Amino acid sequence: MNRIVASLKYGRIWKKGIIFWWVTCLLGVFFLALGLLFLFEPNKNVAAIIGTFVCFVAFFSLALYMIIKNYINVIKCREWMKDAIELDADTKGVQKVLPGITDLGLRKLEVSFRISGKKYVLQSGTKKSNGYDRIFSRFVDRKIRILYSLKYNEAMILDDK
């Protein structure tokens, strides 16, 4: 599981250390906002307390969502790994038309490989998600190593380092 950096279905699979760092940074921003609100507020009114509470709930909810979503993705990848085989694959990048500022670096990935003479071509994403992720830009237009599950028809990209 440590070698998997992304799946074609879900995109990036976060490492535990990165999530912990991200949550720590969010909590740091929260406490900074809390300190600034109370530092510059002469009356210490109810609005500052409510604003701080809303800020905390928003940051905490976002962090909790990321942790739970990543945990579910890891469980699915472990299930796919049970019958997965390691293969070499060729990739091709698909770029969004008219990207916006928030879409910088987003790529959709198409992976092609052969098993027993039969060619398989898979694209990132699902019916619910469009399949664009920043991690895929690292693997565009080159040969990569993947784990492919025949049972689930899912591919997981292995770290190239």
Side-chain angles (χ1 to χ4, degrees):
M1 193 67 212
N2 291 335
R3 293 177 50 207
I4 297 174
V5 293
S7 74
L8 285 184
K9 187 172 188 175
Y10 298 120
R12 181 185 300 267
I13 303 294
W14 295 95
K15 304 290 187 238
K16 289 179 186 175
I18 293 174
I19 290 178
F20 177 75
W21 178 81
W22 194 80
V23 170
T24 304
C25 285
L26 282 179
L27 290 175
V29 167
F30 163 71
F31 286 117
L32 176 67
L34 177 69
L36 290 175
L37 280 174
F38 286 115
L39 179 67
F40 295 115
E41 181 62 42
N43 300 359
K44 313 277 191 288
N45 63 10
V46 176
I49 295 170
I50 291 173
T52 303
F53 180 73
V54 168
C55 180
F56 173 73
V57 169
F59 282 132
F60 183 74
S61 300
L62 186 60
L64 190 62
Y65 169 77
M66 281 189 64
I67 290 170
I68 291 172
K69 181 181 175 213
N70 189 66
Y71 179 73
I72 292 169
N73 293 350
V74 167
I75 289 174
K76 298 268 183 157
C77 285
R78 284 193 176 133
E79 183 68 27
W80 301 338
M81 285 175 60
K82 290 179 182 175
D83 74 325
I85 55 176
E86 192 169 333
L87 302 165
D88 286 320
D90 293 316
T91 62
K92 183 174 114 179
V94 181
Q95 185 121 16
K96 266 189 177 178
V97 180
L98 300 173
I101 293 173
T102 59
D103 297 337
L104 291 175
L106 289 178
R107 293 300 292 255
K108 186 169 184 160
L109 197 65
E110 182 179 278
V111 176
S112 59
F113 53 92
R114 292 188 179 275
I115 300 176
S116 302
K118 185 177 178 187
K119 185 175 182 177
Y120 292 82
V121 177
L122 300 174
Q123 280 196 356
S124 59
T126 63
K127 291 179 181 177
K128 293 180 182 178
S129 71
N130 60 11
Y132 289 89
D133 198 330
R134 283 178 181 77
I135 188 75
F136 295 143
S137 62
R138 229 173 90 184
F139 302 103
V140 170
D141 298 328
R142 63 188 190 104
K143 280 201 173 290
I144 62 170
R145 297 289 292 167
I146 64 167
L147 286 176
Y148 177 70
S149 169
L150 287 165
K151 182 178 178 183
Y152 296 101
N153 192 32
E154 296 291 345
M156 296 160 281
I157 300 172
L158 299 176
D159 197 3
D160 55 352
K161 294 178 184 176

